[in-house]
Every structure is written in structure tokens, then in C-alpha cells.
Amino acid sequence: MYPDRYPRNQWYVAAHSEEVGRTLLDRWLLDEPVVLFRRQEDDKPVALVNRCIHRQMPLSKGRLKDDYIECGYHGILYNSEGRAERIPSQTHVPPACKVTRFPLFERWGLVWIWMGDPDKADESLVPDHHWITDPEWATVRGLLPMKARAQLLNENLLDLSHLEFLHAGSIGTEKIAESPVTADFEGTVVRVARPMYDIDCPPFFTRTMGITGRIDRGQVAEFFAPSFHITHVSAKPTGDPDDSRKCSQKAIHCVTPAKGNTTHYFWCHARDYKIDDAEVTELMQHGIEAVFKQDVAASEAIEEIISSYEPDYPIELNLKVDAGPLQARRLIQRMLDAEKVG
Amino acid sequence: MYPDRYPRNQWYVAAHSEEVGRTLLDRWLLDEPVVLFRRQEDDKPVALVNRCIHRQMPLSKGRLKDDYIECGYHGILYNSEGRAERIPSQTHVPPACKVTRFPLFERWGLVWIWMGDPDKADESLVPDHHWITDPEWATVRGLLPMKARAQLLNENLLDLSHLEFLHAGSIGTEKIAESPVTADFEGTVVRVARPMYDIDCPPFFTRTMGITGRIDRGQVAEFFAPSFHITHVSAKPTGDPDDSRKCSQKAIHCVTPAKGNTTHYFWCHARDYKIDDAEVTELMQHGIEAVFKQDVAASEAIEEIISSYEPDYPIELNLKVDAGPLQARRLIQRMLDAEKVG
Amino acid sequence: MYPDRYPRNQWYVAAHSEEVGRTLLDRWLLDEPVVLFRRQEDDKPVALVNRCIHRQMPLSKGRLKDDYIECGYHGILYNSEGRAERIPSQTHVPPACKVTRFPLFERWGLVWIWMGDPDKADESLVPDHHWITDPEWATVRGLLPMKARAQLLNENLLDLSHLEFLHAGSIGTEKIAESPVTADFEGTVVRVARPMYDIDCPPFFTRTMGITGRIDRGQVAEFFAPSFHITHVSAKPTGDPDDSRKCSQKAIHCVTPAKGNTTHYFWCHARDYKIDDAEVTELMQHGIEAVFKQDVAASEAIEEIISSYEPDYPIELNLKVDAGPLQARRLIQRMLDAEKVG
């Protein structure tokens, strides 16, 4: 069944870069309250636990004074390392007067957080997602709140056969689910591929790519456990020998557990064609968001069912195409087990 | 105290006939999600558990294709027996790919469901309620959602002394509660009778029956455990030897547990007078619903109190008129005990 | 950590006097439903448990007939002692047909309730708060609902160092938190004093007292465990030998647990200057309420954090100024322990 927790010694996306600035940003991540801001000094994002060590007041209710947060209740002044430097009502600042600072770094438009053992936080573990900020690609993005556990979306994103049904009329067409799928596993990565040859061009592709008729469509879903996905999409007219007419897309999905069975769904979508066409960008912004909202709605509908049965989940039946999603569960469970032993 | 569950080897009303058609109807019944629709083939209503065996997606989010439901997530096609006949992403359909179909039948305007052991589902157990569709009677009906456990309404309906107070100004008049009551028990039926002679005609009767002054009023509440009630009501001018001026009503109450402490209250109300008078029908529709909403409001007010004390319910004091309601509790408890043993 | 319950053998404020009249008032107090009304006979307020002994119907849904409450469900008639005097459906009224009447008395504009052992209810335990109705003082008042446990507000009110930060721009000014504080304890009273000499006059004082520039400001917070506070405030121009220009205020705070982690915050605020100035009264009404709402908002923000961690509260760090609040916790814990033993 679904994992009941999420591994902590892993990188998760905490925010889009553009969200973190000089206004204190309050966000629950992995069942912890977190406050985020960007330092004046070096323009770097910072994340502290969002509760003052004194009386648990959310620090996000305070104010930013240069690169310090002043708690809005009793004025304790924390530096960006989380150490108190001033307590207004007394001269002595005890060393215990500090809050957790989470390892954080920013890369290619995303802010990554590590909520486990800081000594294990290795930035090189984060996979390549340079397309988001690459000038050869045009990107749109968004954040969808989801009232469902993260794993429901993780499995949705690894499951390419729902396109025909859940996304009928936009990116789904008939016969998709019948196309053969391969799944391969490599370390903590799951890769599910469904190449489709000589298939109908879906309406949304026609509108944004300008392709009509039959196409060869590539679709590879990569999951980097426990929370990050890249869907590699390509389309070109069937039989067209000219590869220059091939259109590529990279959909980046960051699935971060929030509080209880709620989740933040950060998404980005980059394309390598018509990158200066504002109208296409507008179509992508709304069209892609509409599709991803269908995934959120499906996850929420399932959440409502399964949470009604907890702790006795109803029996599920796995299909052949579930090899990818099931491997995703196994990877997360392994990470959880490793944390328990360690 | 109130039963903490409801017996499953019993018939419950799932819907009014008119609610079940070619649109998938999603309804929680006895803490299970159910999807209902009407088959094209034979016009019969069907009920399946409302979660796909694959990933618990509510089937009601899918679509009806002839007499099949196609799951809206991955397109699994279920026939009206609940057996999958097609899985788009693979050719083999395993026998385990099926969902529970609940015994269901339709009679006299109501759709009855059996959520326990199908082998025990015997349609002859459902009591007579032919008045609903009898052309000699005129019927109005409705469905009230209730945020309270079903038993609060079961007991309300067996308790005829609340009319004077809860329904003052509509069907209640002074001195009702003082009239003698008899209760008799027969198998799983409770019958509470309060004949009232030479009593004021309540305002609502005057408006719809055209009777004024003093009346002889008959009121018999029948409870068919665990969920079905008929209230037999009659009125005629006191001392009038002509029985043709007697007006009769049958109020049918179906109290079906939904999810947690919420309940569906399906009601019908048939009369044998002025059956073609549209104005009276309109008055009944709104006037009866207004009265039944008062019963719902009382049940909800009590639910708010008792659920605040759970699991230690405050002590209750039973009155003599509670013989009927208390027997109702005993019958339901006996049914629950029998299921545990069985 | 915070007390998990509240002592019952204590007086709590149930209402402002003006709230209790001839309309049944429904209010949860210490996790019990209570109904309040004022007797015609002697103009005295009365409190009964707000659930009929018969079927737990809230009596507040019934109606007042002279000094009796008639239950709105089955018409049981309770006198103001809580004893049933009439049951419409039967002639015998059993002695057990009664509801709890809580000791209650009214003094200086407040209605006090005792929800524990009635034999221990001693009115002399309630501290002096005569300013509320003293004609030499002008009073404003209000009731704020709070979605947080009572103790969070109890500690806020004993903590004078938050003024500078939480109430910046109204009654807070710089350097307040740096002024020395003394705390002394006497029986079940905690007294925290922060006299401030030669300090900026806060904007709200200037507007309502007409004082500008530097002032000597007195601030004494008294807590009468477990739920009552008086904040004694005074201000006069620094170095002014004329004591007639001194302005005094008494802020009365009554913090009564409601249901779960919600609380009623009854407040009064009396001043001994410009008592006939309607404009100042208006300013006080809105200005004081705005300040107290900030205290409520801070308590609610903390409640949201700590209730997310229950039962494992995050570690707190106590400061020197917390001597008063910590003593408040100890007093309440002692009261709870005494009730357990007794």
C-alpha cells in the first residue's frame, strides 16, 4: 500500500525561485512549518523552522530586518542561520535560543530543501532539470495545492495509460493505452516509456505545435524517488524524414508532502519550439495547468475513498502497466527502512 | 444507548426511483461508496461499489457506455454485474478484476439495496408501501440530508408526543401529548398508536383537507426495523357519521445511514383526498418538507450534544411514551448481535 | 507544558451581564453546553446544563414561559432550579427528571459560574473588579471568540514584553521590553509589574489621554488563577509634580474555556479620565478591541502550530520574563492535582 510517511534524508522542492523574496513565506513541508526568505547579502534563499523556540509563534508573522527575522511576539531576533542574536527583555542570549535551519539551495528555477540529517545533504543528488531556465526553451509554471497524499500523484505521473481517459479531449487520444509500455529501473530512478507510432495528433498538440494528422509521439516518464519527475514528450509528423519539425517538451513535476494528507504540486513545463510566441506560451500556461488539475482531481477523489477506510485499505488489483508505480512505492519504502536502521 | 453500527443483512432504501437514471449517481450508504444507474437493456437499477478495483477511483467519475461503466482513470470497462470485460492497457482480464455488485430491486417508487450477505437478500422482507405509486393516492416526496446518526430520526418518528411542541403551528396542536398512547411489538415491527378524539384541527389540515373545528384524529406510527417507517394518519370531523369525509395520509420515511454520523432521509407522503388538486399537492410538498426538516433539525441539535460526549454518553431518562423508541433500539441491537454470531 | 484540562471548582465568567436576558442564551463552557437566562421573578441570571435529561435536546432550542424552560422537543417544563414540573405525555414526574443547575451570581457587570462541586462555591473568592460599574469610571467591553486553548491567552496577559512588538503602533513603543520586570506570587495570584519611566508616550495614549512627549508609565498585570486578569495601567507626563494629570485604566480580562481548544475572551476596559467624552469612549471601544484581537491572533497562530504536534509538543525555551506565565501554569496544575486527590 501507500507509504505512511516520507523519507527525510532527501531533497524536496520547497518553492519556485520566484516565490522566495523579501516577504516571509510560510509553508508546511513534510509536516513541519517552514519560513522562507531571500537574503539581501547574497541573494540566497534561506529556510528556518517556522516556530520561535520561545513560545512556538510562527516566525512568518514577524518581520524581516535586513537578513534577520524579528519574531512578531516578543521580538527575539534570529539571524539567517537560525541563531538568536538578541532577546529584547534580557541581555543574555542563551546558546539554546535558536531554531533549525534547513539545508537549502537554488538551482534552475527551483528551491530545494533537505529536512533530514544535514550532514547527508549532498546537492549533487538533485537530477538535471536545466530546461526550466535554459534560454533555448520557453517555460511556464505553477503551484497546485492537493488534498491527497503525495504518492497518489507520484503514481499518476508514472502511469501513462490514463492519458486516453483522464485527459481525453486535450492531450489524450484513442489507442494510447493500448500502445506497449516498457519500464526500467536504475538505482532510485524509474523510467517508463511509451513510444507511439502513427497515432492521431491530440487537439492540444495541434493547437500549440501546429501539427495535424498522424504523428509519432514519444513519452518517457522518469521518476527520481522520492518526489521528482520529468516527462519527456516529443511529437513529429509520421514518416516525415525532417527531424527539424520535431517538437519536444519537458514537464517537470515536484511532489512535496505538505501537512497530513495534503501535498504541494510544483510544476514547470518547457518547450523547444515557438519559444517566442506569446500566444503559444499563454496556451501552454492554461492548457497544461488544466491537464495537471485533472491529475490532482483524480488523486483527491481517490484520497477521499481510501482515507474513509483507514487503516484497513481496500484491496487493489495491480495491472501490468503498474510496474513503474509499484517500483516507486518500493523505492520509497526502502528509503524509509534505511532511515529507520541508520 | 444508540446502536454504534447498523445491521447489514437488511434492506435499506438507496434512492427514490426517479433519482436513478442514465447519469451515474454517487452515494455513500452504510459507510460504503456506491454508484447507481439504470440499465438500458431492461430499465432496471444497478448498484456497484463506487471504487475501481485497480486504484480505488470512484466509478461515478467515469462514464456510462451502454450498460457498462468505463472508469474515468484508466478506462477499465465494467459490466453491470461488476465484472471487468476490458482493460485497455492489456489483453488479459484477470477474474479478480471485478467490483462488488449489491442486490438491488425497485418497488413502488423506491430502490432497495442489500449491503450484507447476498444469499440472504429476500425481497419479500420489504413491507407494503404501495400507496406511493397507487393511482388512487397523490404523492409528494423528497430527500433530506441529515448530519446526525440514523437512530435519532428512527426514534423521532416513533415518538408521537413531540408533535405538539416541535411542530406547533403546522401539524401540532395543544393536548396532543396528553392523549394516551399504545405501543405493540410484533417480530421486527413496532407500532405506536395515538388516537385523538374531539381535538382541535391543526392549521395544516384545515388548509389541505378543508376541515375546520374539532376532529377525530388517527395517528399510527409503524417502524419496520432497522430503517423503514409508515405513519398512518386520518382525520374526520368529530361526530360526523359520514365516513366519506374522512381524509387519510400515509407518510413513508426511509432512514438510511450514509457515512459516519450522517444519514439520508428519503420521504414520501401520499393522500387519498383532493388527489388531482395541484394547489394542495404544492401545499403538501412544501408543508410536509417543512415539518420533516424540523425533525432533522432536532436530530442534528441532539447529535451535536451527544457526539461531544462520546464515548461517555450522558445519562438519559426514559418516559412512558418511549416504549416504542426503546423497542426500536432493542430490535436493531438484536439484529447486530445476530450478525456477529452468524 | 500547557494544562490539558481546567479546574472545575473555580469561578469562571459565563457572560457579560447585558448578554443575559429573556432570550435563551446557548454557550459552551468548560466543555459543557450551558443555557442562560434572567428570571422575571427577581431579575437574577440562571444557568442550567443545556441538554434535556430525556433525549439531550438543547434546552436553548425551547422557549421561556415565565421562569420555566419548556423543552422544544417533548415539552418537558423545567423550573429555574432545573427540576421538571411537568411532562406533557404523563402525569407522574419522577424526581430524576431534572437537569444540573450551576451556581451562578452576578457582580459588577459580570455573570460568574461555578461548574464543579456546588458545595464549594464561595462567592467571596471572586476578586474585586468594581471599576466596571463604578460611576467614577467609564467602561467599554466586548467578547472575542478564540480558536486556541485558554492558557495561551492567560500567559499572553501576564507577559508585558510583547507590547513593543505585537502591539507596535498602538499601545507599544520601543524600549518597553527592555524595562525591568518584577514578578511576585501570593496564593493563587500572580503579579507582574513593569514600571517604565521617561518613555515615549504611545500613539493610542496620546489620542485618548491627550498626553504627548515623555511619560512615566505604570503597568501591573494581575492574574487570579485560573481565569481572571486585571491589568492596571497608568500614565503621566514625566517630571510632572501634579498627580491630577495622571490617567488610570483597568483592563479586565476573563478567559473562559469553551469547547475543545476554543475559548471565550470577555474583556472590559475602564478609565478614570474623560469619562463623559463619547468620542474617547468610541476610540477606546475600537482601539482596545483592536489590540486584544492581536492577542487572540497570536494565540491562534501558536495553537495551530502546537496542535499539529500533539501529543509531542516541541521544546520551548523559557526566558527570564516568563516567571509570571510559568507560575500561572503551576497554579493551574496545582488546582487540577487538588481536584484529583479530593
Side-chain angles (χ1 to χ4, degrees), chain A residues 80-138:
Chain A
S80 64
E81 305 293 319
R83 277 201 319 278
E85 296 202 359
R86 183 174 175 251
I87 301 175
S89 63
Q90 64 188 54
T91 47
H92 177 60
V93 179
C97 196
K98 61 179 181 187
V99 295
T100 302
R101 181 192 180 181
F102 298 105
L104 197 84
F105 77 105
E106 186 171 26
R107 186 180 293 165
W108 297 313
L110 296 175
V111 175
W112 291 86
I113 195 168
W114 180 277
M115 300 189 71
D117 178 355
D119 292 340
K120 296 183 174 158
D122 173 2
E123 299 183 7
S124 73
L125 295 170
V126 163
D128 180 16
H129 56 281
H130 71 277
W131 305 278
I132 299 175
T133 49
D134 187 327
E136 309 266 299
W137 294 70

Side-chain angles (χ1 to χ4, degrees), chain C residues 8 78 106 110 117 126 131 137 182 189 220 223 266 295 298 325:
Chain C
R8 298 187 81 82
Y78 293 94
E106 187 172 25
L110 296 176
D117 178 356
V126 163
W131 305 278
W137 294 71
T182 59
V189 180
V220 179
F223 174 54
F266 304 94
D295 294 317

Side-chain angles (χ1 to χ4, degrees), chain C residues 18-325:
Chain C
E18 61 187 6
E19 289 182 283
V20 182
R22 296 294 298 169
T23 302
L24 293 170
L25 176 65
D26 165 22
R27 183 156 286 167
W28 285 83
L29 300 169
L30 282 92
D31 287 308
E32 291 269 16
V34 176
V35 58
L36 295 139
F37 68 98
R38 190 175 292 278
R39 279 202 300 233
Q40 253 169 354
E41 179 197 343
D42 55 7
D43 213 40
K44 285 200 171 163
V46 171
L48 304 178
V49 75
N50 192 20
R51 45 185 170 82
C52 180
I53 185 71
H54 174 221
R55 283 296 176 267
Q56 322 295 352
M57 182 73 171
L59 295 176
S60 58
K61 303 273 183 191
R63 59 177 171 151
L64 213 45
K65 295 177 94 166
D66 300 327
D67 286 345
Y68 295 83
I69 297 183
E70 183 187 81
C71 178
Y73 204 178
H74 302 92
I76 296 178
L77 197 71
Y78 293 94
N79 68 19
S80 64
E81 304 294 319
R83 277 201 318 278
E85 297 202 357
R86 182 174 177 251
I87 301 174
S89 62
Q90 64 189 52
T91 48
H92 176 60
V93 179
C97 196
K98 61 179 181 186
V99 296
T100 302
R101 180 191 179 183
F102 299 105
L104 196 84
F105 77 105
E106 187 172 25
R107 188 180 291 165
W108 298 313
L110 296 176
V111 176
W112 291 86
I113 196 167
W114 180 276
M115 300 189 71
D117 178 356
D119 292 340
K120 296 184 174 158
D122 173 1
E123 299 184 7
S124 74
L125 294 171
V126 163
D128 181 17
H129 55 282
H130 72 276
W131 305 278
I132 299 176
T133 50
D134 187 328
E136 309 267 299
W137 294 71
T139 307
V140 292
R141 79 206 72 203
L143 166 54
L144 293 169
M146 183 171 90
K147 288 184 188 156
R149 63 199 70 194
Q151 184 63 6
L152 287 169
L153 188 56
N154 281 337
E155 300 191 13
N156 167 291
L157 292 164
L158 271 173
D159 143 35
L160 303 176
S161 61
H162 73 261
L163 271 64
E164 180 177 344
F165 304 97
L166 190 60
H167 306 312
S170 58
I171 62 167
T173 51
E174 288 193 10
K175 307 292 175 197
I176 285 184
E178 291 174 26
S179 308
V181 163
T182 59
D184 65 274
F185 316 139
E186 191 188 327
T188 57
V189 180
V190 177
R191 198 168 284 109
V192 174
R194 168 168 273 156
M196 294 161 275
Y197 302 103
D198 193 17
I199 196 165
D200 281 340
C201 185
F204 191 65
F205 281 20
T206 298
R207 244 180 308 149
T208 56
M209 295 173 177
I211 305 177
T212 52
R214 306 291 282 183
I215 58 170
D216 293 346
R217 179 174 179 180
Q219 186 113 6
V220 179
E222 276 185 318
F223 174 54
F224 301 83
S227 76
F228 189 70
H229 302 252
I230 305 175
T231 319
H232 306 264
V233 175
S234 64
K236 65 170 211 172
T238 301
D240 188 335
D242 180 3
D243 237 30
S244 76
R245 291 198 51 202
K246 184 174 159 186
C247 294
S248 292
Q249 302 176 341
K250 306 288 174 188
I252 316 282
H253 318 268
C254 319
V255 181
T256 306
K259 189 178 176 180
N261 283 332
T262 68
T263 301
H264 305 290
Y265 178 10
F266 304 94
W267 64 268
C268 301
H269 191 278
R271 70 181 192 277
D272 71 350
Y273 55 92
K274 299 189 181 183
I275 64 173
D276 297 319
D277 186 330
E279 201 184 321
V280 169
T281 297
E282 188 72 13
L283 275 170
M284 297 308 283
Q285 181 70 48
H286 296 292
I288 294 294
E289 186 175 61
V291 168
F292 293 172
K293 276 186 173 170
Q294 291 171 329
D295 294 317
V296 167
S299 301
E300 291 181 340
I302 292 171
E303 179 65 48
E304 203 200 324
I305 299 286
I306 62 178
S307 61
S308 301
Y309 283 93
E310 270 173 320
D312 299 311
Y313 292 112
I315 288 166
E316 302 180 318
L317 183 87
N318 296 315
L319 305 180
K320 285 173 191 163
V321 283
D322 292 320

Side-chain angles (χ1 to χ4, degrees), chain B residues 151-328:
Chain B
Q151 184 62 6
L152 288 169
L153 189 55
N154 281 336
E155 300 191 12
N156 167 291
L157 292 165
L158 272 173
D159 143 36
L160 304 176
S161 61
H162 74 260
L163 269 65
E164 180 177 343
F165 303 96
L166 190 60
H167 306 312
S170 58
I171 62 165
T173 52
E174 287 193 12
K175 308 290 175 198
I176 285 184
E178 292 174 27
S179 308
V181 162
T182 58
D184 65 274
F185 315 138
E186 190 189 328
T188 57
V189 179
V190 178
R191 197 169 286 108
V192 175
R194 170 168 272 157
M196 294 162 276
Y197 302 102
D198 193 16
I199 197 165
D200 281 341
C201 185
F204 191 65
F205 281 19
T206 299
R207 243 179 309 150
T208 56
M209 296 173 177
I211 305 178
T212 52
R214 306 290 283 183
I215 59 169
D216 293 347
R217 179 172 178 180
Q219 186 112 7
V220 179
E222 278 185 317
F223 174 54
F224 301 84
S227 77
F228 188 70
H229 302 253
I230 305 175
T231 318
H232 306 264
V233 175
S234 66
K236 67 170 207 169
T238 301
D240 188 335
D242 180 4
D243 236 33
S244 75
R245 291 196 52 201
K246 185 173 158 188
C247 294
S248 292
Q249 301 176 344
K250 306 289 176 189
I252 316 281
H253 317 268
C254 319
V255 182
T256 306
K259 189 179 177 181
N261 283 331
T262 68
T263 301
H264 305 289
Y265 178 11
F266 304 93
W267 64 269
C268 301
H269 190 277
R271 69 181 193 275
D272 71 350
Y273 54 92
K274 300 190 181 180
I275 64 172
D276 296 320
D277 187 328
E279 202 182 321
V280 170
T281 298
E282 187 74 11
L283 275 170
M284 298 308 284
Q285 180 71 47
H286 295 293
I288 294 294
E289 186 175 63
V291 168
F292 293 171
K293 275 186 175 171
Q294 291 171 331
D295 294 317
V296 167
S299 302
E300 292 182 340
I302 292 171
E303 179 65 48
E304 203 200 324
I305 299 286
I306 62 178
S307 62
S308 301
Y309 284 92
E310 268 173 321
D312 299 310
Y313 292 113
I315 287 166
E316 299 180 320
L317 182 87
N318 296 315
L319 305 179
K320 285 174 191 161
V321 284
D322 292 321
L326 291 174
Q327 178 67 3

Side-chain angles (χ1 to χ4, degrees), chain B residues 118-160:
Chain B
D119 292 340
K120 297 185 174 158
D122 172 3
E123 298 184 8
S124 74
L125 294 170
V126 163
D128 180 18
H129 56 282
H130 71 277
W131 306 277
I132 298 176
T133 51
D134 187 326
E136 309 267 298
W137 295 69
T139 307
V140 292
R141 77 207 73 201
L143 167 51
L144 294 168
M146 183 170 88
K147 288 184 187 156
R149 63 197 72 195
Q151 184 62 6
L152 288 169
L153 189 55
N154 281 336
E155 300 191 12
N156 167 291
L157 292 165
L158 272 173
D159 143 36
L160 304 176

